[in-house]
């Protein structure tokens, strides 16, 4: 079967994509598949156009930021970005990349994750984090939230207290709890001006969805 996405879809970094795409994903998680990588790549291009920075380092970091798969329900989840950074470093070393550029890519990958809670220090790291978080909010973020909840066997919401007014949030048991627990917080943490502007509209879509969902239940 013809691949749904190929290196040609990652212009203007087709040559780099051809070398890195075979390592970009693993497992069967549809919320962290090649389509996710492509969406983050397109987000990153938009941000980089406004912010500058090293385009090759950013592209490599995007292509490899999820090269290690760790389920959201795994106790190793907070280590996912570290594991991916280590694997990416080995891949780039085999391709002959210089040490300082490998370290720049690894730092971006290490710090992109919300669960890792490590501050990005470079422009490329900030742009990757913003590009990845854009894919967690808006309508795509809604779809990914419920997809992951299904993989984890979660319910849609707590029928007796859907707004968690008299109980602690529990987004491992109820998908809708993930909105106040994480998704609605993401737009406040964007690192670049371009990323913040893109996040504003998606955050509005997220809040509109939640309002309509609560109205229906």
């Amino acid at each position: 079967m013809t691949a749904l996405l190929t290196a040609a879809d990652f212009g203007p970094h087709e040559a780099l994509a051809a070398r890195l795409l075979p390592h970009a994903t693993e497992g069967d998680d549809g919320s962290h598949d090649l389509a996710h990588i492509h969406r983050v790549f397109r987000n990153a291009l938009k941000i980089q156009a406004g912010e500058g920075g090293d385009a090759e380092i950013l592209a490599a970091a995007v292509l490899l930021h999820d090269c290690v798969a760790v389920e959201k329900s795994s106790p190793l989840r907070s280590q996912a970005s570290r594991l991916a950074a280590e694997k990416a470093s080995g891949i780039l070393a085999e391709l002959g990349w210089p040490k300082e550029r490998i370290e720049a890519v690894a730092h971006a990958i290490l710090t992109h994750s919300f669960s890792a809670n490590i501050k990005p220090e470079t422009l490329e790291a900030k742009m990757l984090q913003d590009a990845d978080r854009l894919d967690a909010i808006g309508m795509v973020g809604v779809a990914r939230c419920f997809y992951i909840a299904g993989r984890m066997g979660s319910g849609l919401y707590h029928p007796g207290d859907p707004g968690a007014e008299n109980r602690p949030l529990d987004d491992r048991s109820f998908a809708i709890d993930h909105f106040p627990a994480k998704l609605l917080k993401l737009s406040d943490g964007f690192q670049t001006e371009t990323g913040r502007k893109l996040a504003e509209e998606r955050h509005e879509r997220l809040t509109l969805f939640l309002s309509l969902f609560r109205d229906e239940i």
Side-chain angles (χ1 to χ4, degrees):
M1 185 178 74
T2 302
L4 297 179
L5 287 167
T6 68
D9 296 299
F10 291 82
H13 300 283
E14 299 93 332
L16 181 63
R19 306 186 85 174
L20 298 185
L21 281 179
H23 309 284
T25 62
E26 60 181 26
D28 63 349
D29 182 354
S31 67
H32 294 89
D33 57 2
L34 200 56
H36 165 69
I37 301 295
H38 187 244
R39 291 192 303 271
V40 175
F41 179 83
R42 289 168 63 88
N43 291 339
L45 288 183
K46 292 177 184 177
I47 296 170
Q48 197 264 329
E51 301 292 331
D54 190 309
E56 185 184 46
I57 286 176
L58 178 61
V62 170
L63 288 162
L64 295 176
H65 79 277
D66 278 338
C67 64
V68 173
V70 181
E71 290 284 351
K72 290 286 188 181
S73 56
S74 170
L76 294 176
R77 182 61 196 170
S78 64
Q79 299 298 314
S81 63
R82 179 184 61 80
L83 296 172
E86 292 173 356
K87 181 177 178 180
S89 296
I91 292 167
L92 295 175
E94 290 180 1
L95 294 177
W97 276 47
K99 180 181 178 181
E100 64 274 11
R101 294 184 70 76
I102 293 175
E103 290 176 349
V105 172
H107 173 71
I109 294 173
L110 175 66
T111 60
H112 88 275
S113 171
F114 182 87
S115 56
N117 195 29
I118 302 173
K119 183 179 179 180
E121 300 292 344
T122 65
L123 177 57
E124 293 75 26
K126 293 175 181 178
M127 291 191 289
L128 172 60
Q129 186 181 98
D130 282 3
D132 187 58
R133 290 188 180 186
L134 279 174
D135 205 51
I137 58 178
M139 291 299 96
V140 172
V142 171
R144 294 178 72 210
C145 175
F146 285 102
Y147 173 89
I148 293 169
R151 286 178 68 90
M152 293 170 58
S154 304
L156 295 180
Y157 60 94
H158 188 296
D161 186 4
E165 297 176 1
N166 298 296
R167 63 177 179 85
L169 291 170
D170 181 5
D171 59 354
R172 292 204 173 194
S173 299
F174 309 110
I176 209 68
D177 281 21
H178 196 56
F179 284 69
K182 176 182 177 182
L183 301 186
L184 293 172
K185 299 177 181 178
L186 290 180
S187 64
D188 290 333
F190 274 69
Q191 301 287 328
T192 68
E193 183 62 29
T194 306
R196 282 191 290 272
K197 290 179 179 178
L198 293 170
E200 287 176 2
E201 183 177 0
R202 297 200 186 192
H203 181 78
E204 290 177 1
R205 296 175 187 176
L206 202 64
T207 56
L208 176 60
F209 171 85
L210 183 59
S211 175
L212 295 173
F213 184 92
R214 287 175 172 169
D215 178 69
E216 291 187 10
I217 61 172

